């Protein structure tokens, strides 16, 4: 089995203008430069993608991701962005199924499934977010929820395309709350997610899929989480907004990958 390269992604959500994105890239470049031991992904708002794409061409410190996309290639969909537009800007990754999209914008497993299918056929690598609410955890429904989100999200996707997926386990009660899952809780969920992937693949791919943890990852807790055998990276929100703190998380990932 090839070792899973850790993937550390910065999800800026609705923060940073294109100018701020440019200074961010400059600062991250001076903080960490190019790292080869792990993969770094910057996921800005759409408006900052062109500026960041240009900055990353000069200093290739990270790959580029988008926070959302539409499943159609073009057409009358006011306010939407297509895979073709993202690919034209050298975007590699796209976050799909984020809990904020599910909760605040009504995205269902079916919509997420359409997006995952479209992303894969356009050559974009989906970062598929799954995770339970606190009520679901308290009522011992974590496995049921994760299983449903994965099975429905990946419905109809050929398992030889699974190698292009990243899964992000993001328990809702840990997102933006300062409350992190313990390394043991996260590890347990990751093992379960890997077993669900194994159960729906025709290829022995589950051991190769990278599963990130997301939810209040910060410099102080990154290393401990990333040391867990099934935690293959982090999807970082709040703590990724400052390039210095994101750089510290990158350094932790490099340290555990040595
Ligand atoms: P957080 O967000 O790091 O601010 O908790 C993570 C996410 O929503 O991806």
């Amino acid at each position: 089995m090839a070792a899973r390269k850790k993937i550390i992604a910065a999800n800026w959500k609705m923060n940073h203008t294109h100018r701020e994105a440019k200074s961010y890239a400059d600062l991250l470049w001076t903080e960490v430069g190019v790292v080869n031991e792990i993969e770094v992904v910057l996921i800005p708002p759409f408006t900052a993608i062109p500026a960041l794409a240009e900055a990353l061409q000069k200093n290739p410190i990270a790959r580029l991701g988008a926070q959302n996309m539409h499943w159609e290639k073009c057409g009358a969909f006011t306010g939407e962005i297509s895979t073709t537009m993202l690919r034209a800007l050298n975007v590699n990754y796209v976050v799909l199924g984020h809990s904020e999209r599910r909760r605040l914008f009504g995205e269902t497993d079916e919509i997420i499934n359409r997006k995952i299918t479209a992303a894969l056929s356009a050559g974009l690598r989906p970062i598929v977010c799954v995770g339970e609410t606190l009520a679901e955890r308290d009522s011992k429904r974590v496995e049921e929820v994760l299983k449903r989100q994965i099975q429905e999200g990946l419905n109809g996707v050929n398992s030889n395309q699974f190698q292009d997926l990243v899964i992000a386990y993001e328990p809702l009660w840990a997102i933006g709350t300062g409350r992190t899952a313990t390394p043991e809780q996260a590890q347990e969920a990751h093992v379960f997610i890997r077993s669900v992937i194994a159960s729906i693949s025709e290829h022995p791919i589950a051991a190769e899929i990278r599963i990130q943890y997301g939810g209040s990852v910060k410099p102080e807790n990154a290393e401990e989480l990333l040391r867990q055998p099934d935690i293959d990276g982090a999807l970082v929100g709040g703590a990724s907004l400052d390039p210095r703190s994101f750089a510290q998380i990158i350094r932790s990932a490099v340290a555990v990958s040595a």
Side-chain angles (χ1 to χ4, degrees), residues 86-107:
L86 296 175
R87 291 296 293 138
L89 287 166
N90 294 327
V91 171
N92 294 107
Y93 287 94
V94 60
V95 175
L96 296 175
H98 192 281
S99 60
E100 285 150 18
R101 301 293 322 169
R102 293 179 192 261
R103 190 167 50 85
L104 304 171
F105 301 97
E107 291 197 12

Side-chain angles (χ1 to χ4, degrees), residues 34-47:
V34 175
V35 290
N36 295 313
E37 298 89 336
I38 65 160
E39 196 174 347
V40 179
V41 186
L42 296 179
I43 311 175
F46 291 130
T47 48

Side-chain angles (χ1 to χ4, degrees), residues 11 13 98-100 170 174-177 214-217 235-239:
N11 175 12
K13 308 191 180 182
H98 192 281
S99 60
E100 285 150 18
E170 298 209 308
I175 296 181
T177 58
S216 300
V217 174
L235 182 54
V236 189

Side-chain angles (χ1 to χ4, degrees), residues 70-89:
H70 195 269
W71 59 85
E72 293 289 348
K73 284 203 167 65
C74 60
F77 302 100
T78 301
E80 294 292 328
I81 300 281
S82 76
T83 55
T84 317
M85 296 165 188
L86 296 175
R87 291 296 293 138
L89 287 166

Side-chain angles (χ1 to χ4, degrees), residues 197-217:
I197 301 282
S199 74
I200 56 171
S201 5
E202 287 153 24
H203 306 270
I205 196 79
E208 287 172 35
I209 286 195
R210 292 178 297 175
I211 307 175
Q212 297 176 304
Y213 168 78
S216 300
V217 174

